[in-house]
Amino acid sequence: MSEKQRALLIVEDDPALQKQMRWAFDTRETIVADDRESAIAQLRRHEPAVVTMDLGLPPAPDDVTEGFQLLREILALAPDTKVIVLTGQHDRENAVRAVGLGAYDFFAKPFEPELLELTIERAFRMHDLQVENARLAAVGSSPLSGLLTRDPGMLKICRTIEKLASASVTVALLGDSGTGKEVLARALHVLSPRVTERFVAINCAAIPDTLLESELFGYEKGAFTGAVKQTLGKIETAHKGTLFLDEIGDLPLPLQAKLLRFLQERVIERVGGRDEIPVDVRIVCATHRDLKAQIKAGLFREDLYYRLAEIVIEIPPLSEREGDAVLLAHAFVQRYAHENGRGSMALTEDAINAIDAHPWPGNVRELENCLKRAVIMADGNRITADDLGLETVEEDFERLNLRHVRDEAERRAVLRVLARTNNNVARAAEILGISRPSLYDLMNRFDLKKESGS
């Protein structure tokens, strides 16, 4: 933690006592102020973790009005700051009132420096603990922490996003519609140093070609009929932040050339303008189209592809994420039941089987919409396959039996290796990493002698 965060602010209008306190706490970075205005200025400048303050401050040191006003302002501007109020020996009423307003503790004057130091140390520790808890909460609320998956491929993508967030590279997210491309794009922004600036998204397929150029690059007043004022485009609006170009594969060829120039020069010209405007923005793009096939068909510029695809992340469809559909379904039921005041709701066994068997061509978006509708429309607190609008599927529990799965995998492996070795048992055993007697046992168990012709 930096010294700036560990600073101690002493608000005291008595010069002698101020000097005494600075001397007593000389192991810390002490900052002093003698009235409300200077205290607020020091608070803004140094962001102290702990403040000690006298309630009696100028212009009326014998009155507590100014002190309480300062206490309120400190707690409003920096609610995590720990304020220790110094009061008169018999002024318990104001001390209790200060704690009630949010002060960390109080101390009566005159005080023992060693005892006050112990209270200050406790206040610093409490501040540090709260800062750490906030940091952990921020990590827990990362956009990726809400991305539910057990699929190894998706987990690897999440780790990749975390690594790339701080890098100044252009990222292309490729995958079917509804797989979560915008979720990952926002995660790249939120986890990056640009998080305090804007995340601007534009869907290149949703805007007519005639309007897309002005949407991206902006326009000057009078550039065309209806251009009554100068308007910034999405690229310029995202200055210092992140621009997400969704469905980049649908960008018209003329605009591809203009976008390429921007990526090379990092300057734009508004429609109807002549000035070159420098823009600092991170580009993240996404598409469900096969860009390499688009290039071969002459629909997408190869040079633009390599500018956009410095890092390519391919997102698998939901149907390839083993177990994720059911995992997400349970989460969606809980979310939408809570949002719609439906109480506790759950999926029936036939609903789970139907979700697991359905191919989900619309991916996570289709699954989410399906569960949202079912939560609202279900008669009771149990959601069935019929509520989901899916066909009932009888689960084959034999398929989930590990012994059966292992036997089937071994049978297929033995078959493939015997075929590759032209039934040479010695060679097949060597490839499989087992002894010849073990291979003969497997062949007997799976009744493969006749099939293999050996």
Side-chain angles (χ1 to χ4, degrees), residues 58-79:
D62 295 329
D63 188 18
V64 295
T65 303
E66 194 75 0
F68 275 111
Q69 180 63 25
L70 173 60
L71 175 61
R72 291 187 187 93
E73 290 182 11
I74 290 174
L75 295 175
L77 289 169

Side-chain angles (χ1 to χ4, degrees), residues 69 79 97 99 104 123 173 181 197-198 204 210 218 281 330 352 356 389 405 427 438 441:
Q69 180 63 25
R97 180 184 166 197
V99 172
Y104 173 74
L173 302 168
K181 296 189 289 295
E197 305 297 337
R198 295 189 63 176
C204 300
T210 53
V281 66
H330 285 300
I352 291 172
D356 198 28
V405 172
R427 177 65 180 142
S438 295
D441 286 343

Side-chain angles (χ1 to χ4, degrees), residues 24 51 56-57 74 99 129 149 154 263 287 306 328 352 406 413:
V51 175
L57 294 174
I74 290 174
V99 172
L129 182 63
T149 183
M154 282 301 294
L263 292 172
T287 184
Y306 288 112
L328 287 162
I352 291 172
R406 186 167 55 247

Side-chain angles (χ1 to χ4, degrees), residues 105-345:
D105 207 341
F106 64 89
F107 238 80
K109 291 181 180 180
F111 56 81
E112 291 291 334
E114 294 82 3
L115 295 178
L116 180 55
E117 166 63 23
L118 288 175
T119 301
I120 290 171
E121 179 59 29
R122 279 204 317 271
F124 271 112
R125 288 179 182 175
M126 180 61 74
H127 178 271
D128 293 348
L129 182 63
Q130 288 182 339
V131 169
E132 178 63 10
N133 285 343
R135 185 190 68 79
L136 292 174
V139 171
S141 62
S142 156
L144 289 176
S145 68
L147 199 155
L148 288 177
T149 183
R150 290 196 185 104
D151 178 67
M154 282 301 294
L155 291 172
K156 184 178 179 181
I157 286 172
C158 290
R159 302 295 80 79
T160 301
I161 292 291
E162 289 172 344
K163 290 178 183 177
L164 293 176
S166 59
S168 57
V169 293
T170 301
V171 179
L173 302 168
L174 308 183
D176 293 346
S177 295
T179 49
K181 296 189 289 295
E182 184 164 351
V183 172
L184 294 176
R186 287 185 182 276
L188 278 168
H189 174 71
V190 172
L191 297 170
S192 78
R194 297 177 182 265
V195 62
T196 56
E197 305 297 337
R198 295 189 63 176
F199 175 89
V200 178
I202 182 168
N203 188 322
C204 300
I207 300 171
D209 294 358
T210 53
L211 300 177
L212 189 53
E213 181 178 7
S214 57
E215 280 289 318
L216 278 171
F217 296 94
Y219 54 86
E220 298 289 354
K221 180 180 179 181
F224 49 81
T225 303
V228 295
K229 63 176 182 177
Q230 183 191 79
T231 302
L232 304 187
K234 297 289 189 182
I235 295 175
E236 205 172 342
T237 304
H239 181 58
K240 297 291 185 183
T242 302
L243 176 67
F244 177 49
L245 297 171
D246 199 7
E247 300 302 350
I248 191 70
D250 292 87
L251 194 68
L253 279 168
L255 277 184
Q256 291 180 30
K258 196 165 183 179
L259 179 61
L260 177 63
R261 179 176 180 269
F262 164 66
L263 292 172
Q264 290 171 334
E265 308 295 335
R266 293 291 167 168
V267 295
I268 64 165
E269 289 180 14
R270 300 189 192 110
V271 176
R274 295 188 177 183
D275 294 333
E276 291 188 340
I277 303 163
V279 180
D280 171 21
V281 66
R282 192 212 189 136
I283 301 290
V284 180
C285 65
T287 184
H288 71 283
R289 298 191 182 278
D290 183 342
L291 290 183
K292 290 187 176 178
Q294 295 272 93
I295 291 168
K296 287 182 180 178
L299 299 174
F300 202 85
R301 294 181 62 117
E302 188 173 17
D303 47 4
L304 176 59
Y305 171 79
Y306 288 112
R307 280 283 178 181
L308 290 171
E310 291 179 333
I311 300 288
V312 175
I313 297 177
E314 296 190 8
I315 307 167
L318 184 58
S319 59
E320 293 180 10
R321 306 181 203 172
E322 193 69 33
D324 272 10
V326 174
L327 178 71
L328 287 162
H330 285 300
F332 288 142
V333 167
Q334 292 178 17
R335 179 199 298 179
Y336 291 116
H338 175 73
E339 288 183 7
N340 291 279
R342 292 298 309 269
S344 177
M345 298 189 77

